[in-house]
Amino acid sequence: MDPISVLKTLWRHKWVAMPLVVLTIAACVYVMFFAQRSYQATMTYALITPKVPTALEMQEDPKLAKINGDNPYLRSPDSTLLSQVLITKLGAQETLKSLQDQGLGTEYTVSQASSIGSGMLLVLTASGSSPEQAVDTAVALGTRLTTTLHDVQKINGADEIYLYAALPVDGPGQAEEMFSSRLRTLIIVGVGGVVLVFGAVSVARSLELASAGRRVKEKPARHAGVSEGDSRGPQVPGSGRPRESEDHHLSHPDHGLPGGSFRVPVPDREHRT
């Protein structure tokens, strides 16, 4: 279907399409200027490797050798293991419920700063319906990150000097509005309105075609029967009588006699004498 045909169809069913077009425009205006905004705040943490006593220091100070240094993450050859554990812990339902209980935002992400390198930088991104809520959510996530980092390393009772530390590097600063979120919502509303308009016009056009089809079927049905006068056959022009009846009148000898009577032939007298 070419664009001209589409426009003609829309114009033919304008009383169906126009209310939906107006409703879609009003929804887009509301989303653009009056709908709830979304703000985002970001914090970056660096995981600092602990300063482990050397063998020489332990010889000089025997007390250092008695300290529990059983931190499993110090023995791991993968430097990103600890950051992956923290990402998993902070993404659990327990963290989400804790934020809900504090009345904070529930939309956040925890990720590594870069996929290349040691993976010792973690980025916390929190969203909220206001700048204050976004900042408070980011700060709460940072506090939970520090607590979780400490707890996962103390699984074997390692001493504090053998534990990684979380050092704030950046943020949260001023929360920024997520214009992309508003634009995405606007696009969804606009596309939904267009689909609704074309769907309503398609339904109206289908009903119109169905109604036209019923009228076409009913029209010959009213003229299909033949009138009583026409059932006696074709009429003789100018006589107003059917040709078949006239022929029957001319050919049948008993025509015009009373009912139940018939004609009896009488012999000719001349021939009898």
Side-chain angles (χ1 to χ4, degrees), residues 37-267:
R37 301 288 189 263
S38 181
Y39 298 87
Q40 188 177 82
T42 303
M43 292 189 70
T44 304
Y45 281 85
L47 302 182
I48 306 301
T49 306
K51 183 180 178 180
V52 179
T54 63
L56 180 60
E57 291 174 342
M58 291 182 182
Q59 289 179 358
E60 295 177 352
D61 188 356
K63 295 181 181 179
L64 294 178
K66 298 178 181 180
I67 295 177
N68 185 0
D70 191 8
N71 183 356
Y73 300 99
L74 283 177
R75 300 193 303 268
S76 173
D78 186 4
S79 59
T80 65
L81 177 61
L82 184 57
S83 60
Q84 293 173 6
V85 171
L86 292 174
I87 292 173
T88 303
K89 287 284 188 179
L90 293 179
Q93 289 294 326
E94 183 181 356
T95 304
L96 183 62
K97 187 177 183 304
S98 176
L99 295 176
Q100 288 178 339
D101 294 340
Q102 300 177 56
L104 301 175
T106 56
E107 295 183 6
Y108 64 91
T109 59
V110 182
S111 60
Q112 295 181 6
S114 176
S115 58
I116 302 176
S118 61
M120 303 299 284
L121 281 177
L122 291 179
V123 179
L124 310 179
T125 304
S127 301
S129 57
S130 65
E132 294 78 13
Q133 187 185 52
V135 172
D136 292 343
T137 304
V139 172
L141 282 173
T143 302
R144 192 169 184 85
L145 169 67
T146 304
T147 304
T148 304
L149 175 62
H150 182 271
D151 293 343
V152 296
Q153 297 179 93
K154 293 286 289 185
I155 186 171
N156 294 328
D159 192 79
E160 296 293 332
I161 65 173
Y162 286 91
L163 302 183
Y164 284 88
L167 179 65
V169 176
D170 187 26
Q174 183 69 27
E176 298 180 355
E177 182 184 353
M178 298 175 61
F179 182 76
S180 59
S181 176
R182 191 187 347 167
L183 182 61
R184 183 169 57 250
T185 305
L186 182 65
I187 293 174
I188 293 174
V189 171
V191 172
V194 171
V195 172
L196 187 61
V197 169
F198 278 93
V201 171
S202 298
V203 172
R205 187 168 181 268
S206 299
L207 294 176
E208 181 185 34
L209 294 176
S211 178
R214 286 194 299 268
R215 288 197 299 268
V216 170
K217 291 180 180 180
E218 292 172 358
K219 186 175 180 180
R222 292 196 297 267
H223 302 284
V226 181
S227 63
E228 184 179 354
D230 295 340
S231 62
R232 293 174 296 180
Q235 296 181 349
V236 178
S239 63
R241 296 181 302 170
R243 182 179 291 112
E244 183 180 354
S245 300
E246 183 178 352
D247 295 342
H248 179 75
H249 173 72
L250 296 176
S251 61
H252 201 287
D254 294 335
H255 183 76
L257 294 179
S261 303
F262 58 93
R263 186 183 299 275
V264 178
V266 178

Side-chain angles (χ1 to χ4, degrees), residues 21-37:
V21 171
V22 173
L23 181 62
T24 301
I25 294 175
C28 291
V29 171
Y30 175 79
V31 169
M32 192 66 185
F33 298 102
F34 304 103
Q36 187 178 22
R37 301 288 189 263

